[in-house]
Amino acid sequence: MKNEEIYENNKQNNLINNSKLGKNNTNENNEYKYKYESEVLNLSPEFKDFEANFKIIVIGNSGVGKTCITNQAVSNIFINNHQATIGMEIFTLFLKIDKKIIKFQIWDTCGEETYRSLVTNFYRSTSLAILVYSIDQRDSFRELDLWIKELRLNNSPDTKLVLVGNKLDLENNRQIQYAEGKKFADDYGFIDFFETSAKTGENIKRMFLKIGNILYDEYIKYSEDANRKYNTFKENKCQLRRKTKGKPKKKFC
């Protein structure tokens, strides 16, 4: 099946799935202004006709809901009593940003300390890292420092970071206040901070659309800079040819 047919066949399914996200999420685009017109697409992982591809890694302690966040973003589902991830699992998410389709390869990693050294092998070439803690688990928030250090040690220190406080549905058991999470994100230079619920889907869609806008904007700027440098190179080369045209070539013995 051609890429165009895959896209058209999934359009209707995407509208149906988005309608199942709940009241809080269907109104997200009205509540939050994005730089570019944006939407989450329900496309097959085999879809090939995309503008850009970004690697995103999701890290944090075991049990904070990393896999549940990813499943909610990709499939609009929540699996209760989900088994802990061993190693890592790769998910695919497509977004339509500014009428262009971009692809996210989301690397969902395990949080068990036993596999911590294995996870560091997955950090390389990451465009953006999502660090997750649970708002009802103080330890998961306290150990964010370790995750940041390992990430920066094994990948570019310029990797963009997004902080997520998950399990908003457990508000009554909250141990980390919103202001505390926001301050941590600001102090460490995170590009954004969200509190989410993988169970209800609250803020999951909004978060990935915001990430898509940020990465796409950087992609556009990089492409423009590359074209500008290339055109400047061509101009300089042409000028050099004009200056040397008609001059006798030097001979070397």
Side-chain angles (χ1 to χ4, degrees), residues 18-30:
N18 282 342
S19 69
K20 297 177 181 179
L21 287 172
K23 184 177 180 181
N24 290 338
N25 292 286
T26 54
N27 291 330
E28 282 175 355
N29 281 337
N30 295 329

Side-chain angles (χ1 to χ4, degrees), residues 207-221:
M207 176 180 66
F208 279 99
L209 287 176
K210 178 64 180 296
I211 290 172
N213 269 252
I214 291 170
L215 293 180
Y216 178 76
D217 195 43
E218 185 179 68
Y219 166 77
I220 291 298
K221 291 177 181 177

Side-chain angles (χ1 to χ4, degrees), residues 2-252:
K2 295 181 179 179
N3 287 329
E4 293 81 2
E5 294 175 349
I6 296 174
Y7 177 68
E8 291 300 326
N9 288 342
N10 281 282
K11 259 187 177 180
Q12 192 61 36
N13 290 334
N14 183 54
L15 292 174
I16 295 172
N17 287 331
N18 282 342
S19 69
K20 297 177 181 179
L21 287 172
K23 184 177 180 181
N24 290 338
N25 292 286
T26 54
N27 291 330
E28 282 175 355
N29 281 337
N30 295 329
E31 297 170 358
Y32 190 87
K33 300 298 182 183
Y34 302 100
K35 181 174 182 178
Y36 303 102
E37 182 181 349
S38 312
E39 65 176 310
V40 176
L41 299 176
N42 181 27
L43 296 176
S44 165
E46 286 74 33
F47 185 80
K48 303 296 183 183
D49 192 16
F50 51 85
E51 177 75 14
N53 183 20
F54 299 100
K55 176 183 175 182
I56 295 175
I57 192 166
V58 187
I59 57 179
N61 280 15
S62 179
V64 297
K66 299 185 299 296
T67 302
C68 292
I69 287 174
T70 307
N71 274 326
Q72 185 66 256
V74 174
S75 305
N76 301 327
I77 61 173
F78 174 77
I79 302 174
N80 206 6
N81 298 322
H82 193 283
Q83 292 185 346
T85 302
I86 297 178
M88 67 88 190
E89 187 175 0
I90 300 177
F91 295 80
T92 301
L93 178 67
F94 289 97
L95 304 178
K96 190 175 183 181
I97 308 289
D98 194 30
K99 299 181 181 180
K100 302 288 179 60
I101 298 176
I102 67 172
K103 177 181 178 180
F104 281 170
Q105 282 188 325
I106 305 174
W107 292 49
D108 173 39
T109 65
C110 63
E112 294 284 352
E113 189 172 352
T114 307
Y115 304 103
R116 191 74 62 87
S117 60
L118 176 65
V119 172
T120 58
N121 295 323
F122 307 140
Y123 290 160
R124 296 181 182 87
S125 303
T126 296
S127 301
L128 181 143
I130 300 175
L131 277 75
V132 184
Y133 68 91
S134 179
I135 66 168
D136 69 328
Q137 297 176 21
R138 172 60 63 176
D139 286 346
S140 69
F141 184 77
R142 188 180 296 117
E143 294 188 18
L144 287 173
D145 287 328
L146 298 176
W147 288 104
I148 294 172
K149 289 177 182 177
E150 288 183 353
L151 177 67
R152 288 177 171 168
L153 181 64
N154 293 278
N155 196 46
S156 169
D158 298 326
T159 301
K160 289 179 171 50
L161 305 176
V162 169
L163 182 62
V164 175
N166 192 37
K167 301 189 181 182
L168 264 178
D169 48 288
L170 300 180
E171 176 67 34
N172 292 337
N173 300 325
R174 178 188 284 272
Q175 295 182 11
I176 300 93
Q177 299 303 315
Y178 178 90
E180 190 175 357
K182 183 67 167 63
K183 183 179 185 305
F184 183 93
D186 291 342
D187 290 345
Y188 273 89
F190 283 64
I191 61 173
D192 219 327
F193 167 59
F194 296 90
E195 285 193 334
T196 65
S197 171
K199 185 175 184 177
T200 67
E202 186 172 356
N203 283 334
I204 301 294
K205 178 183 174 184
R206 171 183 167 180
M207 176 180 66
F208 279 99
L209 287 176
K210 178 64 180 296
I211 290 172
N213 269 252
I214 291 170
L215 293 180
Y216 178 76
D217 195 43
E218 185 179 68
Y219 166 77
I220 291 298
K221 291 177 181 177
Y222 176 82
S223 299
E224 290 175 349
D225 288 344
N227 288 333
R228 193 178 300 111
K229 289 178 181 179
Y230 176 70
N231 290 332
T232 301
F233 171 76
K234 286 175 64 178
E235 285 181 16
N236 291 339
K237 195 171 183 180
C238 290
Q239 290 174 0
L240 181 62
R241 285 176 179 172
R242 285 195 295 269
K243 288 180 180 179
T244 57
K245 190 175 181 180
K247 292 184 179 180
K249 295 182 179 180
K250 293 183 179 180
K251 293 183 180 180
F252 298 92

